[in-house]
Amino acid sequence: PLVSGASLINKGDTARRVEFETDVILYFPPGSPIRDDYRAIRDRLSGISPMNVVIEAAPGRSVSEPVALAAMLQLATVLEARPEVGRALSLADPILQLQRGFAGAEVIPDSQAAIEQYLLLLESVEHVRDLVTADRRSASVVMRVDDNGSNDLLRVADFAEQWWREHGPAGFDARVTGIMHEYARSEHELERGQIAGLASALGVVGAIFALAFRSLRVALIGLVPNAMSLALAFGGMGLLGVPLDAGT
């Protein structure tokens, strides 16, 4: 998303716009060890920004139902096909491993009882607890995004939730959460609050001028130096390609 209100109108017919984006990796200069290590983790492993798609079952339903597991497997596959996502795992993955070993099949069991037997075998595996709750009311599709930018994180989150609304089975809801998702969401709320706060401040200053001098014309003239400082600051950011984030 672009902030059309915080732009500097240049000579001619072009306007530079300030973009909402937070990526703490960009705080470090190119060639710094932190940026190099980040790039190495992203390229050689499976992404660096974790997020979770939490699947919640309606009352009386269970995430161990075959239809739910099949949808989670498909969601993870679709997410991994996106260039921003390095890896995505769901409860269906360990179930498929057991199914392959016991039945020689590469499909989700069509019996919830068989799935529950597999989950009983997996109870001693610590990492499986990150994928499903003991009461089977919710499960998690764990993904790692290659990028650390807030825009990409929120774009992937919106895609996952939209995909589930369109393709997920009835009786199951999906929402994205996790520390990186909440980080990106809160950053955008702060950035939008910055714009709204500055706009409100200009309105209050204008109202004070109008009341003090009893003249709308004088109030508008008095706003010029205040508005110019904002135009120069945000216009300079747009001109130089500096995004509006928690630091700037």
Side-chain angles (χ1 to χ4, degrees):
L2 299 177
V3 186
S4 58
S7 59
L8 174 65
I9 306 300
N10 298 318
K11 292 179 180 181
D13 58 353
T14 60
R16 300 287 184 171
R17 294 185 174 185
V18 179
E19 184 179 2
F20 287 153
E21 176 70 297
T22 297
D23 188 345
V24 295
I25 300 300
L26 300 182
Y27 290 170
F28 301 93
S32 67
I34 291 180
R35 287 188 71 160
D36 291 344
D37 292 345
Y38 166 82
R39 189 179 300 109
I41 292 173
R42 181 191 62 193
D43 295 341
R44 300 176 188 176
L45 299 179
S46 58
I48 197 168
S49 299
M51 291 198 299
N52 299 71
V53 185
V54 177
I55 311 299
E56 295 180 318
R61 304 292 298 275
S62 170
V63 293
S64 63
E65 295 178 23
V67 64
L69 282 179
M72 282 185 269
L73 177 62
Q74 188 177 0
L75 174 59
T77 302
V78 170
L79 286 172
E80 277 198 355
R82 293 181 63 89
E84 310 99 319
V85 179
R87 191 77 170 94
L89 293 171
S90 72
L91 181 61
D93 290 281
I95 296 297
L96 280 177
Q97 289 181 347
L98 290 176
Q99 178 77 342
R100 188 184 308 118
F102 283 101
E106 296 284 343
V107 295
I108 298 294
D110 56 7
S111 166
Q112 185 176 356
I115 294 174
E116 286 294 341
Q117 287 182 342
Y118 286 155
L119 289 176
L120 185 63
L121 293 174
L122 292 169
E123 279 189 350
S124 60
V125 181
E126 182 178 355
H127 297 300
V128 173
R129 302 170 193 169
D130 296 331
L131 300 177
V132 64
T133 58
D135 60 5
R136 310 292 190 258
R137 289 294 306 277
S138 62
S140 179
V141 177
V142 181
M143 59 177 164
R144 289 188 175 272
V145 183
D146 286 334
D147 202 345
N148 199 55
S150 56
N151 283 337
D152 282 337
L153 295 176
L154 293 179
R155 192 178 299 115
V156 172
D158 291 342
F159 170 83
E161 292 180 349
Q162 180 66 28
W163 186 93
W164 191 269
R165 283 193 294 269
E166 296 176 357
H167 304 284
F172 299 89
D173 295 322
R175 61 182 176 86
V176 179
T177 184
I179 184 171
M180 292 307 296
H181 175 262
E182 297 306 311
Y183 158 79
R185 189 179 61 81
S186 62
E187 290 296 317
H188 275 232
E189 290 298 323
L190 288 172
E191 291 150 8
R192 290 189 174 90
Q194 172 88 47
I195 298 299
L198 291 173
S200 299
L202 282 178
V204 171
V205 170
I208 292 175
F209 280 149
L211 290 173
F213 296 101
R214 300 182 183 277
S215 170
L216 180 60
R217 181 181 179 184
V218 173
L220 294 175
I221 294 174
L223 281 178
V224 170
N226 295 277
M228 281 300 297
S229 63
L230 295 178
L232 288 173
F234 288 102
M237 290 171 60
L239 186 65
L240 297 173
V242 178
L244 179 63
D245 60 17
T248 56

